[in-house]
């Protein structure tokens, strides 16, 4: 739009007052922000956005405390304890059987060498 198209409009636009910012604009804006209700109310904790993480943290702390607490020793019934009978060590039987096998092998090798 050119100035020649509508001179009356351009005259009206030239007469309008420019907006002026108050020297206390920053102070007033800050006051409005502070008064807008940034306080945390106890009912805010009941919203899922805060409730779920809070419950998770409390659960983790309780679980950690339970795992770190000293365990109480188990109570054992006081029955008379019988000592088990002494059992022969299986090594003794093993060595005795090995001696028999070696002796039998020597006899069989003597028997085979007699025919060769």
């Amino acid at each position: 739009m050119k100035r020649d198209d509508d001179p009356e409009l351009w005259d009206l636009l030239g007469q309008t007052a420019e907006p002026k910012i108050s020297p206390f604009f920053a102070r007033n804006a800050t006051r409005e922000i502070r008064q807008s209700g940034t306080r945390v109310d106890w009912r805010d904790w009941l919203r899922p956005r805060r409730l779920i993480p809070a419950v998770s943290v409390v659960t983790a702390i309780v679980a950690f405390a339970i795992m770190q607490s000293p365990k109480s020793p188990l109570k054992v019934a006081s029955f008379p304890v019988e000592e088990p009978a002494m059992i022969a060590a299986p090594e003794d039987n093993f060595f005795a059987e090995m001696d028999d096998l070696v002796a039998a092998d020597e006899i069989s090798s003597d028997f085979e060498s007699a025919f060769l």
Side-chain angles (χ1 to χ4, degrees), residues 24-64:
F24 303 112
F25 174 77
R27 182 189 67 181
N28 295 339
T30 322
R31 183 182 336 127
E32 287 294 324
I33 292 170
R34 285 184 187 146
Q35 292 177 352
S36 67
T38 56
R39 284 188 307 175
V40 177
D41 194 16
W42 67 271
R43 288 175 286 187
D44 290 341
W45 285 97
L46 297 178
R47 295 193 175 113
R49 183 177 180 192
R50 290 190 183 203
L51 185 64
I52 292 172
V55 169
S56 300
V57 168
V58 170
T59 304
I61 290 171
V62 169
F64 182 75

Side-chain angles (χ1 to χ4, degrees), residues 48-106:
R49 183 177 180 192
R50 290 190 183 203
L51 185 64
I52 292 172
V55 169
S56 300
V57 168
V58 170
T59 304
I61 290 171
V62 169
F64 182 75
I66 289 172
M67 293 178 82
Q68 296 299 321
S69 67
K71 307 279 189 234
S72 63
L74 296 175
K75 295 182 180 179
V76 179
S78 59
F79 294 111
V81 178
E82 297 178 11
E83 293 186 22
M86 294 303 290
I87 301 173
E91 292 86 20
D92 295 339
N93 293 338
F94 174 76
F95 291 121
E97 290 174 7
M98 287 303 290
D99 288 339
D100 292 341
L101 288 173
V102 168
D105 190 34
E106 288 176 359

